[in-house]
């Protein structure tokens, strides 16, 4: 993986020293994403920057990469990984192309030269890239179908700026750290999620998943090249199970390809255990030796863990079982609760926004430790969205809430805000509108009954509104240390196929991800296969709650804190006096309750100060 940056200015020379300094500043924001190399391409009106994390063909593949045809340059700056590189290279060689490297960057650029903007339809992988086509004097941007890799952009008069992260754009003086009331509504009411395409900062946008962007001196076009399509599922249950199994095996094998050390996350749950088992089998088959696996836990969590409907049991015994079953070289990472809390500002800066509190910081610290032994990791992220693993797929009150099921009561957040903020916009209506927008996008299936139609909506919400939050977290927290995390359950072939499988099949044996469990029969031990779902592990130590609560109160009671202009300080002080451990009702997802509210406030304060946010 890497970090990319770009800048087009039709009126001014980007070769000038001042503009080169700006380009350097933009590239420097991406150092952690690409610690191995740096590069730039500059001509009078266009500048590309790149930071490289070497994964395939480290000796070659420097970027920005240039190829010439008929006297014109084709230049690419690319972040991602293609999993069908070999097939695509062979196809292009059939058209007469020759390759100088073994890296996917050259294959992607050559695919554009042959197929133009339709090259994205040929790609299987995770990617965000920019290509300058000198022959047509146009910029072509594209992002992978699921949105695993990030891409943001802004247009200022005759200038276009893009980058892997928002901080890359903000390093350019043309982009001001201004946030209007809609941006605030995203942070305060929708956050830590974001509406697809919304960059929070004024006139900053995110290229949506499955979208491409063409920019020339005469105009621009932002368009969708991929979307979920609904149609009748014609395979019987046995065939469906077999196809899911085959897709999982194929995608896991493809995503193990690398010229650097590869490992897997292992929580002992269904999703990571399946990938670990498949990876371990492939390592054994190819003679690569033992697979390295990593799990995360918290100091003294065994003492303070309390089972709940959201988190029914501890992971540690299940991790041990899978380590023995797969004969892996395991590394158990223990996180200190004090460091977990103190890392909240660092995670905010990595994400560019307030995030999922300790859910972010734990992954941040986890990634730091994994990077000491590996450069690529496979993660079980997104199986819950694809196959139906969350409580909102099963609990009637969540299914029928007619709101984002992970945040069904946006009005509760109004209690945290001061009257000035609430007077500027109907914030609950804003959230409702975003929900209605999402529902209006759902590709319907004619003749589907009411229950099935609603479940299709729940799946769509999960895939397009919830999953991006987790993918953002995964990308930013891991890439903060130059760790590439791959997510096989996001393979678009798998997502497309499972999307149209009827809910009755997905809900096999009335179990969360029942279909997936059946598809993995024989690959995993039976007790792991049918283990009750337990979410990403969180700390249960009261020390963490006390640290973040006291820290947040210090901020709120500081008259110079920008939080005082947004929050109802008196109300939050009252909430802080409650027994948050006993009444830890999630306000966002399964893992963000009372402690995470105060941690989110710390991250919000960090964001406002560090980015020098101006509310406009």
């Amino acid at each position: 993986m890497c970090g990319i940056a770009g800048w087009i200015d039709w009126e001014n020379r980007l070769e000038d020293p001042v503009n080169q300094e700006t380009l350097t500043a933009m590239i420097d924001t991406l150092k952690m994403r690409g610690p191995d190399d740096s590069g730039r391409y500059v001509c009078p009106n266009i500048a590309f920057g790149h930071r490289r994390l070497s994964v395939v063909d480290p000796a070659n593949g420097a970027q920005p990469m240039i190829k010439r045809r008929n006297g014109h340059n084709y230049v690419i700056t690319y972040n991602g990984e293609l999993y069908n590189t070999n097939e695509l290279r062979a196809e292009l060689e059939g058209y007469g192309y020759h390759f100088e490297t073994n890296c996917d960057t050259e294959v992607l650029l050559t695919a554009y030269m042959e197929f133009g903007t339709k090259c994205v339809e040929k790609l299987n992988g995770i990617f965000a890239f920019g290509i300058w086509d000198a022959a047509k004097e146009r910029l072509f941007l594209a992002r992978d179908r699921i949105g695993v890799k990030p891409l943001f952009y802004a247009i200022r008069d005759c200038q276009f700026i893009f980058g892997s992260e928002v901080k890359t754009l903000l390093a350019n003086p043309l982009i001001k750290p201004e946030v209007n009331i809609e941006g605030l509504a995203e942070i305060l009411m929708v956050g830590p999620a974001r509406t697809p395409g919304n960059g929070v900062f004024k006139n900053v946008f995110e290229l949506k998943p499955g979208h491409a962007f063409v920019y020339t001196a005469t105009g621009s076009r932002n368009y969708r090249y991929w979307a979920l399509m609904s149609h009748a599922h014609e395979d019987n249950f046995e065939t469906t199970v077999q196809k899911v199994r085959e897709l999982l095996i194929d995608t896991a094998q493809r995503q193990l390809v690398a010229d650097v050390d590869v490992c897997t996350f292992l929580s002992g749950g269904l999703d990571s255990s399946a990938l670990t088992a498949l990876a371990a089998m492939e390592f054994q088959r190819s003679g690569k030796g033992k697979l390295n696996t990593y799990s995360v836990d918290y100091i003294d969590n065994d003492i303070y863990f309390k089972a709940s409907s959201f988190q029914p049991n501890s992971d540690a015994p299940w991790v041990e079982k899978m380590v023995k079953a797969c004969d892996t070289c395991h590394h158990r990472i223990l996180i200190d609760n004090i460091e977990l809390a103190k890392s909240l500002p660092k995670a905010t800066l990595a994400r560019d926004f307030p995030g999922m509190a300790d859910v972010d910081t734990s992954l941040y610290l986890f990634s730091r430790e994994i990077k000491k032994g590996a450069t690529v990791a496979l993660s079980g992220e997104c199986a819950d969205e694809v196959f139906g693993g969350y409580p909102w797929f099963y609990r009637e009150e969540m299914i029928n809430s007619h709101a984002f099921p992970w945040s069904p009561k946006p009005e509760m957040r109004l209690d945290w805000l001061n009257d000035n903020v609430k007077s500027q916009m109907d914030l609950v209506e804003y959230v409702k509108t975003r929900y209605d927008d999402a529902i209006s996008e759902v590709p319907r299936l004619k003749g589907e009954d009411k229950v099935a139609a609603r479940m299709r909506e729940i799946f769509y919400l999960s895939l397009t509104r919830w999953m991006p939050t987790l993918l953002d977290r995964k990308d930013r927290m891991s890439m903060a240390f130059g760790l590439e995390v791959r997510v096989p359950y996001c393979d678009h072939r798998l997502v497309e196929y499972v999307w149209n499988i009827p809910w009755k099949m997905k809900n096999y044996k009335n179990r969360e991800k029942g279909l997936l469990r059946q598809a993995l029969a024989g690959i995993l031990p039976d007790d792991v296969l049918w283990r009750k779902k337990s979410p990403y592990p969180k700390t249960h130590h009261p020390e963490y709650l006390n640290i973040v609560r006291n820290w947040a109160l210090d901020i709120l009671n500081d008259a110079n804190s920008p939080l005082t202009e947004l929050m109802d300080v008196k109300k939050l002080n009252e909430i802080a006096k409650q027994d948050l451990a006993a009444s830890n009702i999630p306000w966002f997802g399964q893992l963000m309750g009372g402690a995470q509210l105060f941690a989110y406030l710390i991250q919000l304060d960090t964001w406002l100060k560090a980015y020098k946010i101006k509310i406009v």
Side-chain angles (χ1 to χ4, degrees):
M1 296 301 162
C2 306
I4 67 174
W7 183 10
I8 291 180
D9 187 337
W10 298 117
E11 295 183 354
N12 301 294
R13 294 181 63 87
L14 295 182
E15 300 162 313
D16 292 346
V18 172
N19 291 333
Q20 284 298 292
E21 288 179 11
T22 296
L23 180 62
T24 297
M26 293 172 65
I27 297 171
D28 284 349
T29 65
L30 301 167
K31 278 183 178 179
M32 297 309 297
R33 294 188 71 91
D36 297 327
D37 197 9
S38 178
R40 66 179 65 202
Y41 170 85
V42 182
C43 62
N45 301 111
I46 180 168
F48 275 5
H50 190 266
R51 291 291 314 194
R52 186 183 184 202
L53 175 65
S54 299
V55 172
V56 175
D57 195 5
N60 300 296
Q63 293 189 50
M65 182 177 283
I66 306 168
K67 290 178 78 74
R68 288 182 65 81
R69 186 174 68 178
N70 299 327
H72 295 290
N73 281 347
Y74 296 83
V75 189
I76 186 171
T77 182
Y78 159 58
N79 167 32
E81 206 72 54
L82 297 187
Y83 304 128
N84 65 332
T85 299
N86 291 338
E87 296 98 319
L88 190 52
R89 180 189 287 115
E91 181 180 354
L92 291 165
E93 286 173 339
Y95 294 129
Y97 290 95
H98 300 280
F99 293 89
E100 299 178 4
T101 73
N102 292 319
C103 67
D104 56 345
T105 305
E106 186 179 8
V107 171
L108 173 52
L109 181 56
T110 307
Y112 172 83
M113 294 168 66
E114 175 64 25
F115 304 114
T117 59
K118 291 188 179 297
C119 66
V120 289
E121 299 170 13
K122 297 277 188 176
L123 308 180
N124 176 353
I126 52 179
F127 53 83
F129 63 83
I131 292 177
W132 173 247
D133 182 339
K136 293 183 170 61
E137 291 194 326
R138 75 179 181 192
L139 172 69
F140 178 61
L141 301 178
R143 190 173 177 211
D144 66 74
R145 297 167 179 82
I146 310 299
V148 178
K149 292 290 101 183
L151 188 55
F152 295 88
Y153 69 92
I155 301 175
R156 295 291 184 274
D157 299 323
C158 62
Q159 301 189 54
F160 185 92
I161 301 164
F162 68 90
S164 291
E165 300 184 8
V166 170
K167 63 174 65 70
T168 309
L169 275 64
L170 292 173
N172 191 309
L174 290 169
I175 312 302
K176 307 298 182 185
E178 298 176 339
V179 177
N180 58 22
I181 187 60
E182 181 175 318
L184 274 183
E186 288 286 318
I187 293 294
L188 299 175
M189 298 297 294
V190 179
R194 277 186 300 108
T195 302
N198 193 310
V200 176
F201 290 89
K202 185 179 178 182
N203 295 323
V204 169
F205 305 95
E206 172 190 51
L207 187 62
K208 294 180 183 179
H211 279 67
F213 196 102
V214 175
Y215 180 74
T216 69
T218 58
S220 62
R221 182 167 71 99
N222 186 340
Y223 66 95
R224 172 179 276 183
Y225 69 85
W226 179 85
L228 287 168
M229 304 293 288
S230 294
H231 56 75
H233 183 74
E234 297 180 353
D235 294 336
N236 63 25
F237 183 73
E238 290 73 20
T239 302
T240 299
V241 168
Q242 185 60 30
K243 284 189 177 180
V244 168
R245 185 185 181 95
E246 290 171 355
L247 281 167
L248 282 171
I249 292 172
D250 180 70
T251 190
Q253 290 175 342
R254 287 175 180 273
Q255 298 196 25
L256 287 169
V257 175
D259 294 330
V260 294
D261 291 330
V262 180
C263 67
T264 65
F265 290 6
L266 177 59
S267 70
L270 175 71
D271 312 328
S272 65
S273 294
L275 295 180
T276 295
L278 293 171
M281 286 189 284
E282 180 62 18
F283 266 49
Q284 185 178 26
R285 185 194 66 80
S286 58
K288 293 182 179 179
K290 283 192 175 185
L291 173 71
N292 282 282
T293 53
Y294 290 81
S295 65
V296 63
D297 208 341
Y298 306 84
I299 292 175
D300 292 335
N301 232 24
D302 54 335
I303 298 174
Y304 294 101
F305 176 81
K306 292 181 180 180
S308 69
S309 60
F310 289 112
Q311 203 152 11
N313 48 45
S314 175
D315 285 331
W318 300 95
V319 171
E320 292 179 13
K321 188 174 186 69
M322 283 303 303
V323 168
K324 290 179 181 178
C326 298
D327 191 26
T328 71
C329 181
H330 188 67
H331 311 264
R332 183 174 179 240
I333 307 301
L334 274 178
I335 294 177
D336 177 77
N337 289 283
I338 296 174
E339 187 177 21
L340 183 70
K342 288 185 175 180
S343 298
L344 286 165
K346 294 178 182 178
T348 307
L349 300 181
R351 191 164 182 149
D352 286 326
F353 303 109
M356 297 185 74
D358 54 282
V359 184
D360 277 11
T361 55
S362 59
L363 182 57
Y364 178 88
L365 297 172
F366 189 35
S367 297
R368 181 190 68 185
E369 297 305 306
I370 295 173
K371 178 62 177 179
K372 295 174 182 178
T375 299
V376 174
L378 267 61
S379 167
E381 205 84 71
C382 303
D384 288 309
E385 291 84 354
V386 175
F387 288 94
Y390 292 117
W392 53 77
F393 289 99
Y394 302 91
R395 298 188 179 187
E396 289 298 324
E397 74 278 9
M398 301 180 85
I399 292 172
N400 298 319
S401 65
H402 297 290
F404 294 119
W406 49 88
S407 189
K409 297 180 179 179
E411 62 274 5
M412 73 182 292
R413 298 198 190 192
L414 291 181
D415 287 343
W416 310 339
L417 307 178
N418 66 27
D419 291 339
N420 180 52
V421 173
K422 289 186 283 190
S423 68
Q424 296 183 52
M425 177 188 282
D426 187 335
L427 295 170
V428 172
E429 182 61 26
Y430 178 84
V431 178
K432 182 180 182 300
T433 300
R434 299 287 79 80
Y435 171 80
D436 291 341
D437 290 344
I439 292 297
S440 70
E441 297 171 6
V442 177
R444 307 292 176 178
L445 180 61
K446 187 176 181 180
E448 200 165 43
D449 65 50
K450 199 171 183 180
V451 172
R454 179 55 180 166
M455 293 311 300
R456 189 175 293 274
E457 290 179 348
I458 295 294
F459 271 98
Y460 190 84
L461 292 172
S462 300
L463 288 167
T464 67
R465 297 310 192 268
W466 169 261
M467 193 164 77
T469 309
L470 301 187
L471 290 174
D472 280 356
R473 163 184 171 264
K474 185 73 73 179
D475 176 81
R476 307 308 192 279
M477 298 306 109
S478 60
M479 291 304 291
F481 298 98
L483 175 69
E484 176 185 314
V485 179
R486 299 175 178 176
V487 279
Y489 292 103
C490 281
D491 184 290
H492 75 274
R493 300 167 304 158
L494 182 65
V495 173
E496 287 175 344
Y497 183 70
V498 177
W499 166 253
N500 283 300
I501 297 173
W503 171 240
K504 289 181 180 179
M505 286 191 187
K506 292 176 185 173
N507 193 32
Y508 178 64
K509 289 189 176 181
N510 199 31
R511 284 295 307 273
E512 72 277 356
K513 295 179 288 191
L515 171 65
L516 177 60
R517 296 176 193 275
Q518 187 65 18
L520 294 168
I523 293 176
L524 294 177
D526 283 349
D527 50 355
V528 175
L529 188 68
W530 295 100
R531 176 193 171 193
K532 182 70 175 174
K533 173 181 165 54
S534 190
Y536 182 84
K538 62 181 287 187
T539 181
H540 295 269
H541 202 305
E543 179 182 44
Y544 178 77
L545 169 58
N546 291 332
I547 292 171
V548 297
R549 174 166 49 193
N550 293 335
W551 186 358
L553 289 178
D554 286 344
I555 293 171
L556 288 166
N557 295 319
D558 177 1
N560 294 318
S561 169
L563 279 191
T564 60
E565 299 178 11
L566 304 175
M567 314 309 293
D568 186 330
V569 175
K570 182 179 178 181
K571 180 66 176 180
L572 288 168
N573 272 280
E574 291 174 359
I575 293 174
K577 295 175 183 177
Q578 299 174 10
D579 185 354
L580 296 174
S583 58
N584 199 21
I585 301 174
W587 59 273
F588 183 85
Q590 305 170 70
L591 300 177
M592 296 189 71
Q596 288 69 38
L597 165 59
F598 290 98
Y600 191 76
L601 292 175
I602 294 167
Q603 292 197 306
L604 178 56
D605 180 71
T606 298
W607 181 67
L608 291 166
K609 290 176 179 176
Y611 290 79
K612 299 178 181 178
I613 304 295
K614 181 180 179 181
I615 309 299
V616 295

